[in-house]
Amino acid sequence: MRIKNDFKLICNSLNQYKRECNCNPIVCARIFLRSYVKNDLDLLIKIKVEAEEYDNGNIFKNNQISILTCYIATSSLALNIEKEWGNIGMVIIEIQVLFLILVFLMILASEKLDKVQRWKKYILVAIDEVEKEIIEKAEVNKSEGNVRI
């Protein structure tokens, strides 16, 4: 089982938090990040690196043209086989329809389940804002002599 990093955990949590927040996604991300990092600049930078490094590895989304081309090629092959062999071609066409349904369901599921990609842009904006807030608080504490080590 693959362990999720902080960035992915935040994205998954934000989907549920958004229902409670009922506001702009950037505001929700900022509020959630403040409570998640609790003024820990190192954790915030770690999340920022994870967010910037995240690449949408969604094969079906990135390769939809390849999948469509494969489907067209196998459909053409099935039609040629049907002309040559008759009824066996019907079995192949049925397999093609099943393949088409399967590809459609996989693409549909990949778009709905990709919470990370949906929240990435909002989290990156919120990280910059929260980072500035933490640095400003640290400078105020430093100027007052309340340096935390």
Side-chain angles (χ1 to χ4, degrees):
M1 184 173 161
R2 195 168 67 187
I3 298 173
K4 292 184 179 181
N5 58 28
D6 287 314
F7 172 65
K8 289 181 183 178
L9 289 172
I10 289 170
C11 291
N12 290 329
S13 298
L14 274 170
N15 267 345
Q16 296 162 355
Y17 184 73
K18 173 80 167 114
R19 293 181 196 131
E20 299 169 13
C21 188
N22 293 328
C23 61
N24 185 330
I26 295 172
V27 174
C28 284
R30 187 181 327 125
I31 292 168
F32 189 84
L33 273 172
R34 280 185 196 131
S35 66
Y36 190 86
V37 297
K38 298 180 178 89
N39 292 328
D40 185 355
L41 187 59
D42 293 332
L43 178 59
L44 188 67
I45 292 171
K46 177 183 177 273
I47 293 168
K48 184 175 184 177
V49 169
E50 290 171 352
E52 289 172 349
E53 149 183 295
Y54 177 77
D55 179 29
N56 186 11
N58 191 338
I59 295 170
F60 299 107
K61 195 180 240 181
N62 295 333
N63 295 318
Q64 287 177 350
I65 294 174
S66 299
I67 292 170
L68 181 63
T69 305
C70 178
Y71 177 74
I72 291 170
T74 53
S75 296
S76 175
L77 179 64
L79 290 173
N80 287 335
I81 290 175
E82 182 192 5
K83 288 178 185 176
E84 297 291 325
W85 295 350
N87 287 341
I88 295 175
M90 285 304 285
V91 172
I92 294 174
I93 290 175
E94 290 171 358
I95 292 171
Q96 282 295 113
V97 170
L98 182 63
F99 177 73
L100 180 64
I101 291 169
L102 181 65
V103 167
F104 176 74
L105 290 175
M106 292 171 87
I107 290 171
L108 187 66
S110 69
E111 290 176 1
K112 287 189 175 187
L113 296 176
D114 196 9
K115 299 169 188 147
V116 176
Q117 191 64 29
R118 187 179 319 142
W119 283 101
K120 180 180 177 180
K121 55 189 170 270
Y122 303 124
I123 291 174
L124 285 172
V125 170
I127 284 174
D128 291 337
E129 293 175 9
V130 172
E131 184 177 10
K132 288 176 187 173
E133 291 173 7
I134 291 173
I135 290 171
E136 287 173 5
K137 285 180 185 177
E139 289 174 356
V140 167
N141 286 340
K142 187 177 180 181
S143 67
E144 293 176 356
N146 298 333
V147 179
R148 193 180 87 200
I149 299 177

